[in-house]
Amino acid sequence: MTTLFKSVTIIDASSAYHQQQKDILITDGIISKIEDFISEEKEYNVIKRNNLHASTGWFDTSVCLGEPGYEERETIQNGLKVASKSGFTDIAVNPNTNPVIDNKATVEFLIYRANKSATNLHPIGALTQQSKGAEMAELYDMQQAGAIAFGDYNKPISNDNLLKIALLYTQNFNGLTLSFPKNNAIAGEGVANEGKNSTLLGLKGIPALAEELQISRDLFLLEYTGGKLHIPTISTKKSVELIKKAKENGLNVSCSVAVHNLFLTDDELYQFDGNKKVNPPLRTSQDVNALIKGIQNGTIDMITSDHNPIDIEHKKVEFSNAKDGTIGLETAFGILNSILDLETIVNCLSKNPKERFGLQKTTIKENEIANLTFFNPEGTYTFTEKDILSTSKNSVFLEKEIKGKVYGIYNNNQLILND
């Protein structure tokens, strides 16, 4: 199959064609030509779109899919379709399924179920057995089966020695250890950011200290053990400062931030909408500004949608009883495009996460494998439930203004475009 993309503005700082408008010809999954003009042959599948832009394919490092066990929330098949149409050629899938992804067989199951899809699925294996935080899981076996990192999704490792051993053990096979930044003893039964809004609304608060104390512990352990540590979805100003200092001191640490923590604050809680209950919680405007600055200065390596489908029975309830989580694949680009420049977005959705998680790096040049995301950065619209592709509808961004549009992806010799 030969596909011709006409008048494409290329966003790829590693490419000689960065910020240039070119025609791109792809033949059997390989970029065969990039030229100012390529004639349209009758055997070509010609793609023309308004203000068409392309970058290397995006990679989301934190995606939850219900299957196995919670198929009513999302299936692997539909979740991959959502990812493709949201611009993601690769997703890392969290182990919070039933059973938990904590052994070689369950890792192989995920990979098998995603076989031949346009979007690549990369399992994250649980760091501990059944994600209970007590005993370390079969990390090496899972890595051999295809797991790209190890962590218990949204569950902190409270046992200091267990994390120490994991950081030491994973060095034997260059494994990446994830540690969720939350001290449960400090967070207690909190459901929202501790501050003015939680007090006025009568909601139990989660202090920023709960996150920062855990990060400080993790960084001390990393300094002692060596190894590779990734801290997912940080949310506070002090967290950015701690990680910045650790990097300056030469520690091998990376971190991510969720899209919603870059855009929304705890001012959203006044409607007591369960869709706004996320973990970590929505913080203050000072935190949001610090997180954005952390992205711009390179302290924060990557951005994730932290896509977490939750069925209506667990969301349309009293705020304190609602399960944490929001879907986010469909809105990730449109939200980021309203607050960051395109080159920064592409670095945080493509280059940086692929390097950290050990995925194959690609660039936009001739004779390269076609791993591409297509989008239009212009135009705005209001995101409503009819725009949701996921099975679950728990979006924190309902009725928010979105800037830009994702057209789709080309990956694994497959073209997936939105209607």
Side-chain angles (χ1 to χ4, degrees):
M1 181 180 74
T2 301
T3 305
L4 174 60
F5 295 88
K6 297 292 291 182
S7 301
V8 183
T9 300
I10 295 172
I11 306 296
D12 178 8
S14 65
S15 170
Y17 306 105
H18 180 47
Q19 294 185 338
Q20 298 179 34
Q21 190 175 85
K22 300 286 183 179
D23 287 0
I24 300 176
L25 188 69
I26 299 175
T27 305
D28 295 330
I30 305 295
I31 300 173
S32 52
K33 283 185 182 179
I34 301 177
E35 296 179 0
D36 290 336
F37 177 81
I38 301 174
S39 60
E40 301 178 23
E41 305 294 337
K42 63 179 181 180
E43 66 269 23
Y44 293 172
N45 177 25
V46 180
I47 305 298
K48 298 178 181 179
R49 292 290 188 274
N50 181 44
N51 197 28
L52 183 59
H53 284 58
S55 74
T56 51
W58 301 340
F59 170 37
D60 193 329
T61 59
S62 179
V63 173
C64 301
L65 301 178
E67 187 180 355
Y70 303 112
E71 286 83 359
E72 72 279 5
R73 298 177 186 175
E74 189 61 278
T75 63
I76 291 172
Q77 181 179 11
N78 190 65
L80 289 168
K81 183 174 74 173
V82 174
S84 297
K85 293 197 170 187
S86 300
F88 292 92
T89 59
D90 296 84
I91 58 172
V93 174
N94 293 308
N96 58 327
T97 51
N98 186 19
V100 171
I101 308 303
D102 65 354
N103 57 67
K104 179 179 179 180
T106 49
V107 169
E108 291 174 340
F109 169 80
L110 284 186
I111 294 172
Y112 172 77
R113 292 286 287 143
N115 188 35
K116 297 182 180 179
S117 63
T119 293
N120 301 314
L121 185 156
H122 307 277
I124 294 176
L127 186 67
T128 65
Q129 294 178 23
Q130 299 179 53
S131 287
K132 290 184 176 180
E135 298 181 25
M136 199 162 65
E138 302 168 358
L139 307 188
Y140 179 71
D141 283 353
M142 288 192 286
Q143 192 245 20
Q144 292 298 293
I148 60 169
F150 309 98
D152 296 338
Y153 178 69
N154 275 12
K155 292 182 177 181
I157 304 300
S158 58
N159 184 326
D160 306 334
N161 194 54
L162 181 59
L163 182 59
K164 184 198 78 172
I165 292 170
L167 286 167
L168 288 168
Y169 176 67
T170 51
Q171 292 177 52
N172 293 304
F173 50 91
N174 197 32
L176 180 62
T177 301
L178 278 58
S179 179
F180 183 65
K182 185 179 182 182
N183 182 305
N184 277 337
I186 298 292
E189 297 179 355
V191 296
N193 178 58
E194 182 181 86
K196 180 185 70 174
N197 286 328
S198 64
T199 302
L200 290 172
L201 296 171
L203 297 172
K204 292 181 179 179
I206 303 174
L209 177 66
E211 176 171 309
E212 297 150 7
L213 196 62
Q214 194 80 350
I215 288 176
S216 295
R217 183 210 66 168
D218 292 352
L219 294 174
F220 272 115
L221 287 171
L222 180 65
E223 184 178 20
Y224 177 80
T225 61
K228 291 166 57 178
L229 176 68
H230 177 69
I231 302 174
T233 57
I234 68 171
S235 68
T236 79
K237 179 180 178 181
K238 182 69 173 178
S239 296
V240 178
E241 296 169 359
L242 289 167
I243 293 168
K244 184 175 188 292
K245 185 176 180 180
K247 287 187 171 187
E248 290 170 350
N249 290 337
L251 296 187
N252 192 349
V253 61
S254 59
C255 65
S256 67
V257 61
V259 174
H260 44 269
N261 286 113
L262 286 174
F263 189 76
L264 301 173
T265 71
D266 57 358
D267 289 339
E268 296 284 330
L269 302 182
Y270 279 81
Q271 297 172 347
F272 293 96
D273 180 359
N275 287 336
K276 307 291 174 66
K277 187 166 182 275
V278 291
N279 189 17
L282 301 177
R283 301 286 189 183
T284 68
S285 57
Q286 289 83 2
D287 293 311
V288 169
N289 292 336
L291 292 167
I292 292 173
K293 185 177 179 182
I295 289 170
Q296 293 168 337
N297 66 27
T299 300
I300 298 175
D301 305 88
M302 60 200 79
I303 303 170
T304 173
S305 71
D306 203 23
H307 182 82
N308 188 4
I310 304 293
D311 54 276
I312 192 170
E313 287 84 0
H314 291 94
K315 268 298 184 182
K316 204 165 185 179
V317 294
E318 183 181 345
F319 185 88
S320 295
N321 294 328
K323 287 186 71 69
D324 298 323
T326 176
I327 58 172
L329 286 169
E330 297 98 316
T331 48
F333 172 70
I335 295 297
L336 294 177
N337 190 38
S338 66
I339 53 179
L340 298 169
D341 65 273
L342 285 179
E343 191 169 328
T344 299
I345 293 170
V346 171
N347 282 340
C348 289
L349 290 183
S350 182
K351 175 179 175 290
N352 296 349
K354 287 179 179 179
E355 286 182 355
R356 186 58 171 171
F357 281 76
L359 272 61
Q360 180 180 0
K361 291 186 288 186
T362 60
T363 187
I364 300 178
K365 65 178 183 180
E366 292 180 354
N367 301 315
E368 180 82 359
I369 293 172
N371 169 253
L372 302 170
T373 296
F374 296 95
F375 55 93
N376 175 4
E378 301 300 326
T380 60
Y381 69 99
T382 300
F383 186 76
T384 64
E385 192 167 307
K386 68 178 178 59
D387 299 305
I388 294 177
L389 304 172
S390 302
T391 301
S392 296
K393 310 302 179 186
N394 58 304
S395 174
V396 73
F397 293 116
L398 285 170
E399 305 304 323
K400 300 296 182 185
E401 187 173 84
I402 303 292
K403 182 183 178 187
K405 179 180 181 181
V406 174
Y407 288 131
I409 64 169
Y410 192 107
N411 190 47
N412 293 333
N413 198 19
Q414 297 178 59
L415 174 64
I416 304 293
L417 294 176
N418 284 297
D419 299 330

